Amino acid sequence: MVFDLVPATFLLANILFIGATAWSKEFRGALNVAALSAFLTYVGAGLDGQAGLGDFNLQMNDNYQGQVVKGCPTYEQVRQPSMDGFDLEKYQGKWYEQKFHDWTQFKEVYDTTLDIKLTSDSKGWIDDFGVRGPAPDSAKLSWDKSPVANGAHYFMTGRVDENDPPGILREKGFGVEFPDYIVDVKKDAETGEYTEAIQFQCLDRGGVRVFEGINFMSRKPVMTDEELTGMHQRAKDAGMNPYGASPEQMHMVARRGENEPKIDNNWQQMWHAIGVDKVLELLAESIEDGGR
């Protein structure tokens, strides 16, 4: 091991690779062709909807079970009766993401949470999006060496439009504003507090759907298979399967466990020494301040 961080053989292999890339024109050409081919294949498969529908799906106006559904539905078309009397104040707080269909989310992240709070005037909202990554099962040799192995926070902002029905939040992302539909909530039988929620985001241009995002969320970190099956059924009842809500179209969020000890190794000490954690905190704070 070199400085107790990486094996010497790993460094030697990298030196040989860099040397071959620097000195061999033929090797550089072959490497560029291979990289371009892999990129085109990956994006092309995504556009065709064949790259693993729960992981990466860029297909426009998907053909779902022989039915092509163009554009995005209205809120009224997907809103469920559970949203009657919806109280946005009660929707605030920490949610654990259980499953998602969203090509902007990396499937390798884990322990994803969303902490939603309204601004003081209740006209805006801030979503503290917490992630860790990569997940232990997706990167068995390197997951604990990541600079975000102990978590990172990204803040998304939006507004509450008084002309919208309760259950619609206006979200900002990728330079555009789009509606975030709260389609369904499940309530605690005794307290009436929201315990599960289904969110749906959709964006189209000229009648062509260019983005769709679905989130299954719960107030507890882990849900049973029966509970997740129930969420899928409610999403199906809402007519969301053509947009990515069926089991084969959604990705399960991995969980390491809230009570697991903080990762502390030479890699984490190195990231701390060079200030990576401070940079992430400053970035998160600047985004949060911008949403106030």
Side-chain angles (χ1 to χ4, degrees):
M1 296 290 287
V2 179
F3 301 116
D4 289 328
L5 293 175
V6 295
T9 52
F10 176 80
L11 288 181
L12 179 61
N14 275 272
I15 292 172
L16 293 174
F17 178 81
I18 293 171
T21 304
W23 294 105
S24 174
K25 183 178 180 180
E26 291 78 10
F27 183 78
R28 287 198 305 272
L31 187 63
N32 287 332
V33 170
L36 180 61
S37 298
F39 174 76
L40 293 177
T41 299
Y42 187 62
V43 175
L47 290 170
D48 287 338
Q50 301 298 320
L53 293 180
D55 300 333
F56 179 66
N57 179 24
L58 287 175
Q59 185 181 21
M60 299 176 183
N61 294 333
D62 304 63
N63 185 326
Y64 178 73
Q65 296 185 349
Q67 177 187 12
V68 176
V69 181
K70 295 184 177 181
C72 295
T74 64
Y75 183 54
E76 289 71 23
Q77 288 176 305
V78 294
R79 178 189 181 278
Q80 292 301 285
S82 63
M83 293 301 296
D84 292 347
F86 177 73
D87 185 351
L88 188 55
E89 293 281 344
K90 291 167 57 176
Y91 195 71
Q92 295 183 98
K94 190 172 186 178
W95 292 92
Y96 295 87
E97 186 177 52
Q98 304 291 334
K99 280 189 167 186
F100 67 82
H101 174 91
D102 182 345
W103 59 264
T104 68
Q105 278 189 246
F106 294 108
K107 66 179 181 179
E108 291 83 6
V109 300
Y110 69 109
D111 284 358
T112 308
T113 59
L114 298 90
D115 200 341
I116 300 171
K117 61 181 178 182
L118 294 172
T119 55
S120 57
D121 59 5
S122 296
K123 294 182 179 180
W125 59 276
I126 300 172
D127 183 356
D128 177 356
F129 188 73
V131 297
R132 298 181 186 181
D137 287 342
S138 65
K140 298 181 185 298
L141 298 179
S142 62
W143 71 274
D144 59 344
K145 302 172 180 63
S146 165
V148 293
N150 285 311
H153 293 263
Y154 306 92
F155 290 86
M156 297 176 288
T157 62
R159 63 186 179 90
V160 181
D161 192 323
E162 60 183 12
N163 296 317
D164 286 333
I168 296 181
L169 301 174
R170 296 285 168 175
E171 185 171 337
K172 296 178 182 177
F174 307 103
V176 297
E177 182 183 78
F178 52 91
D180 186 353
Y181 295 164
I182 304 171
V183 172
D184 173 83
V185 290
K186 189 173 183 180
K187 304 172 186 176
D188 183 277
E190 296 182 359
T191 66
E193 296 297 317
Y194 301 137
T195 58
E196 297 176 11
I198 298 175
Q199 289 189 168
F200 177 38
Q201 310 89 39
C202 194
L203 183 64
D204 60 16
R205 288 293 181 265
V208 176
R209 188 167 64 258
V210 296
F211 171 74
E212 57 195 17
I214 299 171
N215 314 93
F216 285 4
M217 308 190 305
S218 172
R219 294 293 193 185
K220 59 184 182 180
V222 179
M223 296 179 66
T224 65
D225 290 342
E226 183 180 2
E227 289 171 331
L228 286 171
T229 298
M231 292 195 83
H232 278 294
Q233 184 59 52
R234 297 199 300 276
K236 181 180 179 180
D237 293 341
M240 292 172 58
N241 276 11
Y243 305 98
S246 60
E248 72 274 10
Q249 294 175 297
M250 297 193 72
H251 180 74
M252 175 78 81
V253 178
R255 299 233 165 254
R256 182 169 175 256
E258 286 194 310
N259 296 323
E260 293 289 339
K262 184 178 180 179
I263 299 169
D264 184 16
N265 54 33
N266 290 331
W267 279 90
Q268 299 308 317
Q269 293 169 19
M270 181 189 70
W271 297 131
H272 177 72
I274 62 179
V276 170
D277 51 346
K278 298 298 182 183
V279 172
L280 291 173
E281 288 177 9
L282 289 172
L283 177 62
E285 289 173 3
S286 66
I287 297 174
E288 183 181 22
D289 289 341
R292 289 173 177 164

